[in-house]
Amino acid sequence: MDADFARYAMYLFAGVTGIVIAEAIYLSMASNNGKRRTINRRMKLADAAVSQREVLYQLRKERGLDGDREATSMMRILSRLRLQSNMKMPIVQFASLTTTISVVIGLAIGLWFDIVVAGLVVAIVLIIVLPIMVLRFRRGRRHRLFGNQLPEALDLITRGLKAGHPVPIALSMVAREMADPIGTEFGMMSDEITYGSTMVAALEGLNERVGHEDLPLFVTAVSIQNTTGGNLREILDGLAHVIRERQKLRRKVKSISVEGRMSAYILSAVPVLLVAALTLLVPDYYGSVMNEPLTWYLVAGSVTWAVIGNMVMFKMASFKF
């Protein structure tokens, strides 16, 4: 009896110990995650025992704002996308990396299908398209985060103005209280005002760095108030409400149009999966006509029509407002 009691007590003790250890690990991870969410990059640099001027210089250098502007139009497009996507890699290094990847992919396709021209065409297309696609994807993800934070930032500025703070101090509250991306962006704007930039120029710089579609409303409102005066609190209250309603309508449109997007995904995937399945199961099904020149003309035509159809379907399922 005593042996059974001791065994059960040991089991109970081991179970309680495991629960306590798991809870300690969970609380530790939750605490660290919360700390990472509440501290933006500008605040981290400020905690590294450097001056505020050096923090501003470091952030501008990372975004490529203090370097020479590239001469070619392609480089200007990539530079603007890089600025708004918050990518730290220099644009020349990024272009070299994507070019190398494109050449490798084109070479692999040319060797796999034993058609040098096809590999060359794929490489040329990827050299142009791949860097833009990567930067647009990063910018879109950053814009979604910024758009979700913008109404909260406007509410915070409004509360600061109601408490009697001047506009620059109310703007700097966003940099101290909110996480990235909006915390660092407003922090850079606040530092630029501190070190001699005008309010309008700092707001225009913020709009250029971010490029979010809702941000010009805020920039215009503050710029007009700074020039002609007015009740900025009421303006920002109404602006926060408008932005929230726009986001609500945008999510509603996205949920309604999900059927069109899914149709495009399915119609794009079915031919690829069918060709892959037939190639694996019946290799001679397409293998016997691979060497015919007409086959590749038909493949190119089919791919072109599929791309055009997908573009039309996505255009029908997307709305700008």
Side-chain angles (χ1 to χ4, degrees):
M1 184 68 177
D2 292 338
D4 293 339
F5 177 78
R7 185 170 65 253
Y8 292 142
M10 184 63 69
Y11 290 157
L12 178 62
F13 177 77
V16 172
T17 302
I19 293 174
V20 171
I21 293 175
E23 184 176 1
I25 295 174
Y26 171 76
L27 291 176
S28 175
M29 294 178 62
S31 176
N32 292 334
N33 289 335
K35 184 177 181 181
R36 283 195 293 269
R37 284 195 299 269
T38 55
I39 299 178
N40 54 56
R41 174 159 177 76
R42 175 176 171 272
M43 298 297 292
K44 290 180 180 179
L45 290 176
D47 291 340
V50 296
S51 66
Q52 203 62 42
R53 184 184 293 273
E54 292 175 349
V55 171
L56 178 60
Y57 174 76
Q58 177 66 24
L59 291 173
R60 290 181 61 86
K61 183 179 179 181
E62 290 177 353
R63 305 290 289 277
L65 292 171
D66 292 332
D68 296 332
R69 296 291 182 177
E70 288 77 5
T72 63
S73 59
M74 183 65 178
M75 282 298 179
R76 284 199 296 269
I77 294 174
L78 292 180
S79 297
R80 183 175 179 83
L81 288 174
R82 172 183 177 269
L83 174 64
Q84 296 178 356
S85 64
N86 194 34
M87 189 181 67
K88 306 298 189 301
M89 184 183 299
I91 189 63
V92 176
Q93 183 179 352
F94 174 72
S96 301
L97 178 61
T98 54
T99 300
T100 303
I101 295 174
S102 302
V103 171
V104 170
I105 294 175
L107 182 62
I109 292 176
L111 294 176
W112 179 266
F113 293 101
D114 197 18
I115 301 177
V116 179
V117 177
L120 182 61
V121 171
V122 170
I124 293 174
V125 172
L126 287 179
I127 288 173
I128 300 173
V129 174
L130 183 60
I132 297 177
M133 290 179 59
V134 173
L135 291 176
R136 285 177 63 89
F137 173 77
R138 287 177 57 92
R139 185 183 67 173
R141 183 175 59 183
R142 183 174 174 82
H143 278 181
R144 285 191 294 271
L145 294 175
F146 189 93
N148 293 333
Q149 291 178 307
L150 185 56
E152 299 178 10
L154 297 181
D155 291 339
L156 182 59
I157 296 171
T158 303
R159 290 194 296 269
L161 294 175
K162 290 179 180 179
H165 297 299
V167 175
I169 301 300
L171 295 176
S172 66
M173 292 173 59
V174 178
R176 294 195 304 268
E177 301 295 335
M178 298 193 67
D180 285 331
I182 203 169
T184 297
E185 296 296 346
F186 270 73
M188 293 177 65
M189 178 182 64
S190 177
D191 291 341
E192 289 172 353
I193 295 173
T194 301
Y195 291 110
S197 178
T198 63
M199 177 76 72
V200 175
L203 289 168
E204 291 176 352
L206 173 67
N207 189 31
E208 180 184 359
R209 290 194 307 271
V210 178
H212 191 270
E213 57 185 1
D214 291 333
L215 192 56
L217 301 174
F218 167 74
V219 172
T220 303
V222 180
S223 299
I224 292 175
Q225 190 275 340
N226 183 71
T227 304
T228 63
N231 192 339
L232 186 59
R233 292 182 302 173
E234 294 182 359
I235 295 175
L236 295 184
D237 277 335
L239 183 58
H241 175 72
V242 169
I243 292 176
R244 285 192 173 94
E245 291 299 319
R246 282 165 58 91
Q247 292 178 350
K248 187 185 300 182
L249 179 60
R250 190 178 294 114
R251 289 191 291 267
K252 184 176 181 180
V253 169
K254 186 176 181 179
S255 63
I256 293 175
S257 61
V258 67
E259 181 181 356
R261 295 196 305 273
M262 290 304 299
S263 299
Y265 293 144
I266 294 173
L267 291 176
S268 300
V270 166
V272 176
L273 295 176
L274 182 60
V275 170
L278 289 175
T279 303
L280 292 175
L281 298 177
V282 189
D284 294 335
Y285 190 84
Y286 291 113
S288 59
V289 295
M290 282 295 181
N291 295 325
E292 297 293 333
L294 182 60
T295 301
W296 295 104
Y297 289 110
L298 294 176
V299 170
S302 301
V303 172
T304 302
W305 280 112
V307 171
I308 294 174
N310 286 337
M311 292 175 61
V312 171
M313 294 183 69
F314 279 111
K315 188 65 176 179
M316 293 172 62
S318 62
F319 299 89
K320 297 291 184 181
F321 46 86

